[in-house]
Amino acid sequence: MTSRFADLRSRVATALQAVDHRYGVSPVVLAVAVVTAASLVVRFAALGNRVAHFDEGRVAYWTLEYARSGEFYYRYIIHGPFVQHVDRVVFQTVGATDVTMRAVTALLGGLLPAAVLLFRDRLRPTETVVAAGFLAFNPVLVYYSRFFRSTILVAGFMFAALGTLLRAHRTGAPRWLYATTALAALGFASKENAVVYLLCYLGAGGLALDYYLRDPNGERRGSAAIRARLGRVRATLGSASGRRWTGYWLGHGALAVGLFAALTLFFYAPRDPNGLGLWSSLASPTRLPALVDATVADLERGLEYWFGHSASEKCYEETLVAGYVCFLERTLGVLGRFAVPLVGFAVGGFLLERYATDRARPLVMVAAYWGFVSVLGYPLGTDIFGAWIVVNALVPLAIPAGVGLAWVLRWGVDAVGESSLRPGTAVVVLLLVVGQVGVTTATAAYQNPAADSNQLVQYAQPADDFRPAIRDLRTVAPHNDGTDVLFYGRELVVEGEGGGPKPVCTVMVRTLPIHWYLQTTAAEAACAYDEAELDDALGSDPPPVVLAHADRRETVAARLDGYDAETYRFRTVGRPVTFFVDRSAVANATAT
């Protein structure tokens, strides 16, 4: 048995070496490429099977409005503008649908496992591949890669930024510094909490430094290591070559800062065809100072809003501590349901690295500290709970998780051929991990992506798919004169003048995400606040589609003949809205 297994390992190793020699692709890169390809398939499969969430509908609405009008300004309530700029191009190129809306997050989320290759010189081959596997198939990461929200984007960009920064340190090549700057700028353009990632890097790096100083290489004490390092710095600055080297990197650092500022200005600056905007300011450089001032002011308001909400009320609790405990319990519940293998092996990998090695690798320690602090910290920083906050912790924890599971696999493989249960135990562990991840991913992301029982589903997700009624509206609107869809009742309609997404007469917080779908139909919408306005709006030729809260179903039904009525929940629980659709109008439009 031992000889046969050794012979198999030798043949596999020979085959992989042949691939590396002939095509210049190392086995690790090849394996991660396969994992990444599978990751993309998982994210794009049935991408449009879920009706849009409240947040998705709001961001998609303003993105489509931007694509049509060319007007943009930073709306901090929908987070960073990266997805709006990118999806604007997507919508203009291939059209606006639920699939195209989510395509960018699915693509970048699917490519996340490939970012592990940036760390492959600091991880064992098996650890690299296993870490990529965790990023590819964890249910939380899959679900929110199929969700039009920037959490997966900021996590991915900042994760890759750390990898390129370490590459810059290892290789001394300035291109990696510029890559780090660009990725950090994209992360900040995706979501404001990119700033928190920088703080996590500093804090985790400080803890790793403290660990190193307890047992420094070649020195008896940490203080001696610090003095030695400072001595080398003084020696470098005291020599002509050292000063040239310092000036060289200071120059590249200044250019990197300029690159970050330029990319931030590009993404956050307003676009106004008839006023102050990026392109008009570039055409007339004297306007650039005003553009920069306006952009900085917008950023200040956004950062003040988001970072000022960390002390806001949570879970309807009266105290900050009680609210934090509530959100932390929910966070741990999500981890316990959807990330036990990843978190469990992350803890194991951290302990192995910290206590069972001659010298812990800084990368593993930093990633573990970063992830563990994120588990504890994000429930404090968020104002409205969503399972998406867990993404910020799971991405870095994939590294120590890769270390932990890879150790189990090596532990089993090394005992093949011996009278030991280790190989069988390792196989069982692997099968349990694959089975748990596969089942939970299939259930959460595909089978029940909008169910209230699914802990990944945030409460602003419509429980029912009302898109068949939208398809009817899309069919009939081009053939109808006048109002195509009417909103009725104070539950859905504001009294007096409204604002926000069109139709502005609706109560946005109760009617989203329907504004996104109305934008894709180009339907004419109107509102009726009370019965008198309803009678006026219906008249002798009622609109082909009427919406009202389910409690007003009988009121509307009594005024409409030949309309089908179907009720859909606009939230996971509650907000029932009844759609009245004129079937004869739809049939006539279909036949035309």
Side-chain angles (χ1 to χ4, degrees), residues 386-415:
W388 49 67
I389 67 172
V390 175
V391 168
N392 300 289
L394 294 182
V395 170
L397 287 179
I399 289 179
V403 171
L405 182 53
W407 181 89
V408 172
L409 298 179
R410 291 195 307 273
W411 174 78
V413 169
D414 290 344

PDB file of all heavy atoms in Angstrom, residues 386-415:
ATOM      1  N   GLY A 386     -27.000  43.177   8.903  1.00  0.00           N
ATOM      2  CA  GLY A 386     -27.103  42.347   7.714  1.00  0.00           C
ATOM      3  C   GLY A 386     -25.977  41.339   7.759  1.00  0.00           C
ATOM      4  O   GLY A 386     -24.861  41.652   8.215  1.00  0.00           O
ATOM      5  N   ALA A 387     -26.225  40.129   7.309  1.00  0.00           N
ATOM      6  CA  ALA A 387     -25.188  39.095   7.367  1.00  0.00           C
ATOM      7  C   ALA A 387     -23.978  39.459   6.517  1.00  0.00           C
ATOM      8  O   ALA A 387     -22.917  38.833   6.651  1.00  0.00           O
ATOM      9  CB  ALA A 387     -25.765  37.749   6.915  1.00  0.00           C
ATOM     10  N   TRP A 388     -24.124  40.484   5.668  1.00  0.00           N
ATOM     11  CA  TRP A 388     -22.999  40.889   4.826  1.00  0.00           C
ATOM     12  C   TRP A 388     -21.800  41.370   5.647  1.00  0.00           C
ATOM     13  O   TRP A 388     -20.673  41.335   5.154  1.00  0.00           O
ATOM     14  CB  TRP A 388     -23.426  41.968   3.843  1.00  0.00           C
ATOM     15  CG  TRP A 388     -24.179  43.129   4.449  1.00  0.00           C
ATOM     16  CD1 TRP A 388     -23.691  44.053   5.312  1.00  0.00           C
ATOM     17  CD2 TRP A 388     -25.545  43.471   4.219  1.00  0.00           C
ATOM     18  NE1 TRP A 388     -24.660  44.966   5.646  1.00  0.00           N
ATOM     19  CE2 TRP A 388     -25.823  44.644   4.981  1.00  0.00           C
ATOM     20  CE3 TRP A 388     -26.566  42.935   3.439  1.00  0.00           C
ATOM     21  CZ2 TRP A 388     -27.072  45.260   4.994  1.00  0.00           C
ATOM     22  CZ3 TRP A 388     -27.817  43.558   3.455  1.00  0.00           C
ATOM     23  CH2 TRP A 388     -28.055  44.700   4.222  1.00  0.00           C
ATOM     24  N   ILE A 389     -22.003  41.816   6.891  1.00  0.00           N
ATOM     25  CA  ILE A 389     -20.856  42.285   7.672  1.00  0.00           C
ATOM     26  C   ILE A 389     -19.875  41.145   7.951  1.00  0.00           C
ATOM     27  O   ILE A 389     -18.690  41.390   8.173  1.00  0.00           O
ATOM     28  CB  ILE A 389     -21.286  42.959   8.993  1.00  0.00           C
ATOM     29  CG1 ILE A 389     -21.911  41.952   9.960  1.00  0.00           C
ATOM     30  CG2 ILE A 389     -22.217  44.121   8.741  1.00  0.00           C
ATOM     31  CD1 ILE A 389     -22.168  42.528  11.352  1.00  0.00           C
ATOM     32  N   VAL A 390     -20.351  39.912   7.918  1.00  0.00           N
ATOM     33  CA  VAL A 390     -19.493  38.753   8.184  1.00  0.00           C
ATOM     34  C   VAL A 390     -18.447  38.590   7.084  1.00  0.00           C
ATOM     35  O   VAL A 390     -17.367  38.038   7.320  1.00  0.00           O
ATOM     36  CB  VAL A 390     -20.368  37.492   8.326  1.00  0.00           C
ATOM     37  CG1 VAL A 390     -19.515  36.249   8.479  1.00  0.00           C
ATOM     38  CG2 VAL A 390     -21.303  37.634   9.516  1.00  0.00           C
ATOM     39  N   VAL A 391     -18.752  39.081   5.885  1.00  0.00           N
ATOM     40  CA  VAL A 391     -17.795  38.999   4.779  1.00  0.00           C
ATOM     41  C   VAL A 391     -16.460  39.612   5.175  1.00  0.00           C
ATOM     42  O   VAL A 391     -15.386  39.093   4.835  1.00  0.00           O
ATOM     43  CB  VAL A 391     -18.370  39.716   3.533  1.00  0.00           C
ATOM     44  CG1 VAL A 391     -17.296  39.905   2.459  1.00  0.00           C
ATOM     45  CG2 VAL A 391     -19.549  38.941   2.976  1.00  0.00           C
ATOM     46  N   ASN A 392     -16.502  40.727   5.902  1.00  0.00           N
ATOM     47  CA  ASN A 392     -15.280  41.438   6.272  1.00  0.00           C
ATOM     48  C   ASN A 392     -14.348  40.591   7.140  1.00  0.00           C
ATOM     49  O   ASN A 392     -13.135  40.835   7.161  1.00  0.00           O
ATOM     50  CB  ASN A 392     -15.644  42.723   7.020  1.00  0.00           C
ATOM     51  CG  ASN A 392     -16.485  43.660   6.178  1.00  0.00           C
ATOM     52  OD1 ASN A 392     -15.994  44.261   5.227  1.00  0.00           O
ATOM     53  ND2 ASN A 392     -17.765  43.782   6.526  1.00  0.00           N
ATOM     54  N   ALA A 393     -14.896  39.631   7.856  1.00  0.00           N
ATOM     55  CA  ALA A 393     -14.080  38.755   8.696  1.00  0.00           C
ATOM     56  C   ALA A 393     -13.673  37.480   7.963  1.00  0.00           C
ATOM     57  O   ALA A 393     -12.556  36.985   8.133  1.00  0.00           O
ATOM     58  CB  ALA A 393     -14.843  38.390   9.971  1.00  0.00           C
ATOM     59  N   LEU A 394     -14.562  36.933   7.143  1.00  0.00           N
ATOM     60  CA  LEU A 394     -14.291  35.638   6.517  1.00  0.00           C
ATOM     61  C   LEU A 394     -13.176  35.712   5.485  1.00  0.00           C
ATOM     62  O   LEU A 394     -12.415  34.745   5.321  1.00  0.00           O
ATOM     63  CB  LEU A 394     -15.569  35.104   5.864  1.00  0.00           C
ATOM     64  CG  LEU A 394     -16.713  34.740   6.819  1.00  0.00           C
ATOM     65  CD1 LEU A 394     -17.894  34.179   6.041  1.00  0.00           C
ATOM     66  CD2 LEU A 394     -16.240  33.729   7.862  1.00  0.00           C
ATOM     67  N   VAL A 395     -13.069  36.824   4.778  1.00  0.00           N
ATOM     68  CA  VAL A 395     -12.033  36.921   3.744  1.00  0.00           C
ATOM     69  C   VAL A 395     -10.635  36.780   4.352  1.00  0.00           C
ATOM     70  O   VAL A 395      -9.846  35.931   3.906  1.00  0.00           O
ATOM     71  CB  VAL A 395     -12.185  38.223   2.939  1.00  0.00           C
ATOM     72  CG1 VAL A 395     -10.969  38.443   2.037  1.00  0.00           C
ATOM     73  CG2 VAL A 395     -13.453  38.172   2.089  1.00  0.00           C
ATOM     74  N   PRO A 396     -10.259  37.548   5.367  1.00  0.00           N
ATOM     75  CA  PRO A 396      -8.918  37.324   5.944  1.00  0.00           C
ATOM     76  C   PRO A 396      -8.782  35.990   6.660  1.00  0.00           C
ATOM     77  O   PRO A 396      -7.703  35.384   6.653  1.00  0.00           O
ATOM     78  CB  PRO A 396      -8.752  38.490   6.923  1.00  0.00           C
ATOM     79  CG  PRO A 396     -10.135  38.939   7.245  1.00  0.00           C
ATOM     80  CD  PRO A 396     -10.920  38.720   5.980  1.00  0.00           C
ATOM     81  N   LEU A 397      -9.862  35.500   7.272  1.00  0.00           N
ATOM     82  CA  LEU A 397      -9.768  34.230   8.001  1.00  0.00           C
ATOM     83  C   LEU A 397      -9.541  33.042   7.077  1.00  0.00           C
ATOM     84  O   LEU A 397      -9.176  31.951   7.532  1.00  0.00           O
ATOM     85  CB  LEU A 397     -11.032  34.005   8.834  1.00  0.00           C
ATOM     86  CG  LEU A 397     -11.190  34.884  10.077  1.00  0.00           C
ATOM     87  CD1 LEU A 397     -12.502  34.579  10.784  1.00  0.00           C
ATOM     88  CD2 LEU A 397     -10.007  34.699  11.030  1.00  0.00           C
ATOM     89  N   ALA A 398      -9.749  33.229   5.780  1.00  0.00           N
ATOM     90  CA  ALA A 398      -9.490  32.135   4.840  1.00  0.00           C
ATOM     91  C   ALA A 398      -8.023  31.709   4.875  1.00  0.00           C
ATOM     92  O   ALA A 398      -7.706  30.538   4.620  1.00  0.00           O
ATOM     93  CB  ALA A 398      -9.888  32.548   3.423  1.00  0.00           C
ATOM     94  N   ILE A 399      -7.126  32.629   5.197  1.00  0.00           N
ATOM     95  CA  ILE A 399      -5.699  32.279   5.223  1.00  0.00           C
ATOM     96  C   ILE A 399      -5.374  31.335   6.379  1.00  0.00           C
ATOM     97  O   ILE A 399      -4.833  30.235   6.155  1.00  0.00           O
ATOM     98  CB  ILE A 399      -4.833  33.555   5.253  1.00  0.00           C
ATOM     99  CG1 ILE A 399      -4.916  34.242   3.890  1.00  0.00           C
ATOM    100  CG2 ILE A 399      -3.382  33.219   5.595  1.00  0.00           C
ATOM    101  CD1 ILE A 399      -4.115  35.522   3.795  1.00  0.00           C
ATOM    102  N   PRO A 400      -5.662  31.687   7.634  1.00  0.00           N
ATOM    103  CA  PRO A 400      -5.398  30.697   8.694  1.00  0.00           C
ATOM    104  C   PRO A 400      -6.258  29.443   8.545  1.00  0.00           C
ATOM    105  O   PRO A 400      -5.831  28.354   8.968  1.00  0.00           O
ATOM    106  CB  PRO A 400      -5.723  31.452   9.989  1.00  0.00           C
ATOM    107  CG  PRO A 400      -6.583  32.599   9.586  1.00  0.00           C
ATOM    108  CD  PRO A 400      -6.131  32.973   8.205  1.00  0.00           C
ATOM    109  N   ALA A 401      -7.449  29.564   7.940  1.00  0.00           N
ATOM    110  CA  ALA A 401      -8.265  28.372   7.698  1.00  0.00           C
ATOM    111  C   ALA A 401      -7.563  27.443   6.719  1.00  0.00           C
ATOM    112  O   ALA A 401      -7.592  26.208   6.874  1.00  0.00           O
ATOM    113  CB  ALA A 401      -9.640  28.760   7.178  1.00  0.00           C
ATOM    114  N   GLY A 402      -6.939  28.028   5.696  1.00  0.00           N
ATOM    115  CA  GLY A 402      -6.160  27.215   4.760  1.00  0.00           C
ATOM    116  C   GLY A 402      -5.012  26.511   5.454  1.00  0.00           C
ATOM    117  O   GLY A 402      -4.711  25.344   5.170  1.00  0.00           O
ATOM    118  N   VAL A 403      -4.371  27.192   6.392  1.00  0.00           N
ATOM    119  CA  VAL A 403      -3.278  26.592   7.155  1.00  0.00           C
ATOM    120  C   VAL A 403      -3.795  25.416   7.989  1.00  0.00           C
ATOM    121  O   VAL A 403      -3.185  24.343   8.034  1.00  0.00           O
ATOM    122  CB  VAL A 403      -2.626  27.655   8.064  1.00  0.00           C
ATOM    123  CG1 VAL A 403      -1.625  27.000   9.025  1.00  0.00           C
ATOM    124  CG2 VAL A 403      -1.937  28.723   7.232  1.00  0.00           C
ATOM    125  N   GLY A 404      -4.957  25.609   8.622  1.00  0.00           N
ATOM    126  CA  GLY A 404      -5.494  24.570   9.495  1.00  0.00           C
ATOM    127  C   GLY A 404      -5.915  23.318   8.743  1.00  0.00           C
ATOM    128  O   GLY A 404      -5.522  22.195   9.117  1.00  0.00           O
ATOM    129  N   LEU A 405      -6.700  23.476   7.689  1.00  0.00           N
ATOM    130  CA  LEU A 405      -7.163  22.301   6.945  1.00  0.00           C
ATOM    131  C   LEU A 405      -6.017  21.628   6.204  1.00  0.00           C
ATOM    132  O   LEU A 405      -5.968  20.390   6.109  1.00  0.00           O
ATOM    133  CB  LEU A 405      -8.275  22.702   5.971  1.00  0.00           C
ATOM    134  CG  LEU A 405      -8.894  21.563   5.153  1.00  0.00           C
ATOM    135  CD1 LEU A 405      -9.374  20.433   6.045  1.00  0.00           C
ATOM    136  CD2 LEU A 405     -10.036  22.082   4.281  1.00  0.00           C
ATOM    137  N   ALA A 406      -5.090  22.419   5.672  1.00  0.00           N
ATOM    138  CA  ALA A 406      -3.936  21.824   4.987  1.00  0.00           C
ATOM    139  C   ALA A 406      -3.121  20.971   5.951  1.00  0.00           C
ATOM    140  O   ALA A 406      -2.585  19.918   5.574  1.00  0.00           O
ATOM    141  CB  ALA A 406      -3.068  22.922   4.375  1.00  0.00           C
ATOM    142  N   TRP A 407      -3.007  21.400   7.208  1.00  0.00           N
ATOM    143  CA  TRP A 407      -2.284  20.595   8.201  1.00  0.00           C
ATOM    144  C   TRP A 407      -2.967  19.246   8.396  1.00  0.00           C
ATOM    145  O   TRP A 407      -2.303  18.205   8.476  1.00  0.00           O
ATOM    146  CB  TRP A 407      -2.212  21.349   9.528  1.00  0.00           C
ATOM    147  CG  TRP A 407      -1.452  20.593  10.584  1.00  0.00           C
ATOM    148  CD1 TRP A 407      -0.116  20.650  10.829  1.00  0.00           C
ATOM    149  CD2 TRP A 407      -2.001  19.642  11.517  1.00  0.00           C
ATOM    150  NE1 TRP A 407       0.211  19.803  11.861  1.00  0.00           N
ATOM    151  CE2 TRP A 407      -0.910  19.165  12.309  1.00  0.00           C
ATOM    152  CE3 TRP A 407      -3.278  19.162  11.759  1.00  0.00           C
ATOM    153  CZ2 TRP A 407      -1.099  18.225  13.322  1.00  0.00           C
ATOM    154  CZ3 TRP A 407      -3.459  18.222  12.766  1.00  0.00           C
ATOM    155  CH2 TRP A 407      -2.379  17.759  13.542  1.00  0.00           C
ATOM    156  N   VAL A 408      -4.298  19.239   8.470  1.00  0.00           N
ATOM    157  CA  VAL A 408      -5.035  17.987   8.638  1.00  0.00           C
ATOM    158  C   VAL A 408      -4.781  17.069   7.443  1.00  0.00           C
ATOM    159  O   VAL A 408      -4.556  15.854   7.601  1.00  0.00           O
ATOM    160  CB  VAL A 408      -6.547  18.263   8.787  1.00  0.00           C
ATOM    161  CG1 VAL A 408      -7.339  16.949   8.771  1.00  0.00           C
ATOM    162  CG2 VAL A 408      -6.821  19.022  10.075  1.00  0.00           C
ATOM    163  N   LEU A 409      -4.790  17.637   6.236  1.00  0.00           N
ATOM    164  CA  LEU A 409      -4.566  16.818   5.043  1.00  0.00           C
ATOM    165  C   LEU A 409      -3.153  16.248   5.024  1.00  0.00           C
ATOM    166  O   LEU A 409      -2.955  15.067   4.701  1.00  0.00           O
ATOM    167  CB  LEU A 409      -4.832  17.651   3.788  1.00  0.00           C
ATOM    168  CG  LEU A 409      -6.266  18.181   3.625  1.00  0.00           C
ATOM    169  CD1 LEU A 409      -6.388  19.009   2.362  1.00  0.00           C
ATOM    170  CD2 LEU A 409      -7.263  17.021   3.607  1.00  0.00           C
ATOM    171  N   ARG A 410      -2.166  17.065   5.365  1.00  0.00           N
ATOM    172  CA  ARG A 410      -0.780  16.554   5.416  1.00  0.00           C
ATOM    173  C   ARG A 410      -0.640  15.490   6.492  1.00  0.00           C
ATOM    174  O   ARG A 410       0.046  14.470   6.308  1.00  0.00           O
ATOM    175  CB  ARG A 410       0.212  17.696   5.693  1.00  0.00           C
ATOM    176  CG  ARG A 410       0.368  18.686   4.572  1.00  0.00           C
ATOM    177  CD  ARG A 410       1.629  19.548   4.775  1.00  0.00           C
ATOM    178  NE  ARG A 410       1.645  20.177   6.093  1.00  0.00           N
ATOM    179  CZ  ARG A 410       1.074  21.332   6.382  1.00  0.00           C
ATOM    180  NH1 ARG A 410       0.409  21.990   5.438  1.00  0.00           N
ATOM    181  NH2 ARG A 410       1.157  21.846   7.599  1.00  0.00           N
ATOM    182  N   TRP A 411      -1.280  15.723   7.622  1.00  0.00           N
ATOM    183  CA  TRP A 411      -1.259  14.771   8.737  1.00  0.00           C
ATOM    184  C   TRP A 411      -1.797  13.427   8.298  1.00  0.00           C
ATOM    185  O   TRP A 411      -1.280  12.364   8.672  1.00  0.00           O
ATOM    186  CB  TRP A 411      -2.085  15.366   9.867  1.00  0.00           C
ATOM    187  CG  TRP A 411      -2.313  14.488  11.063  1.00  0.00           C
ATOM    188  CD1 TRP A 411      -1.432  14.227  12.064  1.00  0.00           C
ATOM    189  CD2 TRP A 411      -3.525  13.801  11.401  1.00  0.00           C
ATOM    190  NE1 TRP A 411      -2.016  13.413  13.014  1.00  0.00           N
ATOM    191  CE2 TRP A 411      -3.302  13.133  12.628  1.00  0.00           C
ATOM    192  CE3 TRP A 411      -4.770  13.689  10.791  1.00  0.00           C
ATOM    193  CZ2 TRP A 411      -4.282  12.356  13.232  1.00  0.00           C
ATOM    194  CZ3 TRP A 411      -5.746  12.928  11.392  1.00  0.00           C
ATOM    195  CH2 TRP A 411      -5.502  12.267  12.605  1.00  0.00           C
ATOM    196  N   GLY A 412      -2.842  13.434   7.478  1.00  0.00           N
ATOM    197  CA  GLY A 412      -3.397  12.185   6.990  1.00  0.00           C
ATOM    198  C   GLY A 412      -2.550  11.541   5.910  1.00  0.00           C
ATOM    199  O   GLY A 412      -2.294  10.327   5.933  1.00  0.00           O
ATOM    200  N   VAL A 413      -2.071  12.341   4.958  1.00  0.00           N
ATOM    201  CA  VAL A 413      -1.293  11.805   3.841  1.00  0.00           C
ATOM    202  C   VAL A 413       0.018  11.194   4.331  1.00  0.00           C
ATOM    203  O   VAL A 413       0.456  10.134   3.858  1.00  0.00           O
ATOM    204  CB  VAL A 413      -1.019  12.911   2.803  1.00  0.00           C
ATOM    205  CG1 VAL A 413       0.020  12.449   1.775  1.00  0.00           C
ATOM    206  CG2 VAL A 413      -2.307  13.303   2.103  1.00  0.00           C
ATOM    207  N   ASP A 414       0.647  11.845   5.300  1.00  0.00           N
ATOM    208  CA  ASP A 414       1.938  11.342   5.784  1.00  0.00           C
ATOM    209  C   ASP A 414       1.829   9.979   6.459  1.00  0.00           C
ATOM    210  O   ASP A 414       2.841   9.289   6.625  1.00  0.00           O
ATOM    211  CB  ASP A 414       2.543  12.349   6.783  1.00  0.00           C
ATOM    212  CG  ASP A 414       2.999  13.626   6.104  1.00  0.00           C
ATOM    213  OD1 ASP A 414       3.124  13.622   4.869  1.00  0.00           O
ATOM    214  OD2 ASP A 414       3.199  14.631   6.812  1.00  0.00           O
ATOM    215  N   ALA A 415       0.606   9.596   6.847  1.00  0.00           N
ATOM    216  CA  ALA A 415       0.442   8.315   7.544  1.00  0.00           C
ATOM    217  C   ALA A 415      -0.106   7.216   6.644  1.00  0.00           C
ATOM    218  O   ALA A 415      -0.416   6.124   7.119  1.00  0.00           O
ATOM    219  CB  ALA A 415      -0.490   8.499   8.741  1.00  0.00           C
TER     220      ALA A 415
END
